Amino acid sequence: MTPDLPSGRDSVSPWAAALERAVNRLRSVPLAENGPDGMTAPLAEPDPSTMATGDLPTARAGRWPTAGHLPDDSPGRWPAVGHLPDDSAGRWGPGELDALGARLHHGAATAVELAEAALAAAEADASGAFVALLPDRAIAAARRADAERRDGLARGPLHGVPVAVKDNIDMAGVATRNGTPGLGHRVPVRDATVVRLLEEAGAVIIGKTRMHELAWGMTTPGCRNPRDLSRSAGGSSGGSAAAVAAGIVEIALGTDTGGSIRNPAALCGVAGLRPTWGTIPMAGITPLAPTQDTVGPIARSAADCAAVFATLTGSPWPAAFSAGSPAPPGERTGAPAHGRPALHGRRVAMPDGLWRGRVGEGIAERMAAARDALLAAGADVVELDLPGVIAAAPAVTLVVMLAESADLWADAPGAASAELRATLRTGAEIRAVDYVRARRVAAHLRDLIAAGLRTTGADLLLLPTVPVTAAPTGADTIEIAGRPEATGAAYARLTALASVTGLPALSVPAGTDATGRPVGAQLIGPPRAEALLCAVGTVIASSRV
């Protein structure tokens, strides 16, 4: 392991120059009182029960007008695709959790053995994925899991499995450092809700992973990509993605505000799920921009992401995820159910206009391969020409993240890099009228996606996760289609859409470019469509070449 490396080099925020352009972009978006098809998109206060609590900061009352996240959707606004039909068991391939569960169930391995191997691998790791290891806590949890299995108790697919959590997620008695030299540091007296849920499911948490300072960035200084140590692991959950990609753990939790689960998952060649905003409690997690903050899994496969999501929400998971349980052949291999193609009756829309001609070498080819995999699995793939205003999503997320993070942290005590302090000062200067407009544009974009899916009859959107593969470590700019682009802006360009609309999104491995660097395919769906995202993502990932 290596110490945290704060990202600041000088007193200039990397986002300051972009802010003026973002505000002007949002002012150019035509907004009416009613959205597409006469729908309204009012804003509502977020549910306080989903927000972080305890010793964490809270926004200063009165600074912003009422401008929380988007309201619950009225019936008929979205296609009803959140649950798979009863005959869907064969649509799931076995994940790593399924295989580990079988080994534990049949006595081929013990939880203590798995934990010891994971801890040893983390100690030897060259990527810098971890900032803290917890051997005593991990081995104690593993021993409990082994004893429970001997007594015939199986808690589910995470029982006895080593996992990791990002260092902005509280664990009782363990320092939470948020990737900063001092800002927001604390030793919590209770676990974050997601940690409690993981441990109640029998998971063995071996340590905390490296992150960008306060999660305010799309890279992770001090963390390298296990697929190529000269390349970026992405961020801000780079340590969680690296820990999974390096094979240290099967599962790691990350947080995603502007793309911080999906971006590193794509660059490191693993899967990452951003759940529907508000579905997983954020209590005990350091906030950055509460109206966009989410927590979710990074895993080897979409199937494993689905299992973790089910654990954290109390949802049922497919039979193939029952740890160690025998399963019908279709569930174990992903063979089609009832002899039908795995995605028969599903339709996926590709909004090529969002990215065509603005991606790096190999990205378009991998997206074409993903489309072909869906067609071969029985899905219908259609083009969707979303209005150009959809491209305003990065401007929305920049304004919202700057404003909300400044409201929480600009005056908070504790050491931070000069770069982060400059970023927070930039956010503190945002006018309330521009923040409110950003939230209104977010609601408008959500309406446009709902209308686009209804018009085409599509269930999901398919697009690249990141328009390039992993850049060299420390690169401030990258060249895309012959044009320079700031690395952070490029990494967030295609993930911002789900972030600002609160919709669930999944990144899955979609093969590699000609140099062997991973490419991620991103699926975006209606609210609470996580199960379908993971089923479709499994098809894409299982067909990559």
Side-chain angles (χ1 to χ4, degrees), residues 258-285:
S260 291
I261 286 174
R262 292 160 289 154
N263 153 40
L267 299 181
C268 291
V270 293
L273 175 65
R274 174 194 168 92
T276 305
W277 185 89
T279 55
I280 298 179
M282 292 292 292
I285 300 176

Side-chain angles (χ1 to χ4, degrees), residues 427-462:
E429 296 171 358
I430 292 175
R431 300 187 308 162
V433 65
D434 292 325
Y435 172 78
V436 170
R437 185 166 189 85
R439 300 300 304 131
R440 290 188 64 206
V441 172
H444 181 52
L445 299 184
R446 186 174 166 111
D447 278 343
L448 290 174
I449 294 174
L453 291 177
R454 286 198 314 275
T455 299
T456 59
D459 302 307
L460 306 172
L461 301 180
L462 170 64

Side-chain angles (χ1 to χ4, degrees), residues 305-337:
C305 284
V308 178
F309 176 78
T311 298
L312 298 179
T313 59
S315 307
W317 52 77
F321 297 150
S322 299
S325 299
E331 294 176 3
R332 301 289 296 183
T333 65

